Amino acid sequence: QVQLVESGGGLVQAGGSLRLSCAASGRTFRNYDMGWFRQAPGKEREFVAIISASGGLTYHADSVKGRFTISRDKAENTVYLQMNSLKPEDTAVYYCAAGHYSSKWSDYDYWGQGTQVTVSS
């Protein structure tokens, strides 16, 4: 069993930065690939980024590539999403998830409750 708690969301102006954190508990956390997804009102859940269990592999969606960076601290059982050059279209609830190295939300077994990110123009 893995429990995930996101934090770090908030209101920021376009061009600003935020760092989201996902604190995990559970002894098997280190065995899971970790992903970030987001969902804007009226839209489907969208893949943002993923990092392998070892931390050696990462992949970012084209819409965030060059602006967002996923990382993990295995000692702290935490996954991060550094978000720079934020745009209004990045506004969404951001979720972290534990599962298998995939951009499909259905491949993930555990989800956090989400954290709201709002980017004003």
Side-chain angles (χ1 to χ4, degrees):
Q1 191 77 5
V2 175
Q3 293 80 40
L4 304 172
V5 179
E6 300 98 334
S7 61
L11 174 63
V12 64
Q13 288 187 333
S17 298
L18 285 173
R19 188 176 80 157
L20 305 183
S21 299
C22 174
S25 59
R27 291 186 296 175
T28 60
F29 164 73
R30 62 186 60 197
N31 297 330
Y32 283 91
D33 302 320
M34 297 295 296
W36 283 98
F37 289 77
R38 65 187 182 186
Q39 190 164 19
K43 295 188 177 181
E44 294 187 353
R45 191 164 297 190
E46 175 189 19
F47 166 75
V48 175
I50 185 172
I51 187 165
S52 64
S54 68
L57 291 175
T58 62
Y59 180 73
H60 299 77
D62 288 343
S63 59
V64 306
K65 200 169 292 183
R67 300 188 298 122
F68 292 10
T69 303
I70 189 171
S71 62
R72 70 190 294 166
D73 184 332
K74 288 188 281 187
E76 296 294 327
N77 280 2
T78 303
V79 177
Y80 301 99
L81 185 68
Q82 178 66 45
M83 305 187 297
N84 299 327
S85 302
L86 282 160
K87 304 175 182 180
E89 51 263 43
D90 294 318
T91 295
V93 177
Y94 283 71
Y95 299 91
C96 70
H100 306 284
Y101 201 84
S102 170
S103 61
K104 298 178 181 179
W105 64 265
S106 56
D107 286 331
Y108 290 78
D109 303 313
Y110 302 101
W111 291 83
Q113 83 289 349
T115 186
Q116 176 71 47
V117 171
T118 303
V119 184
S120 63
S121 57

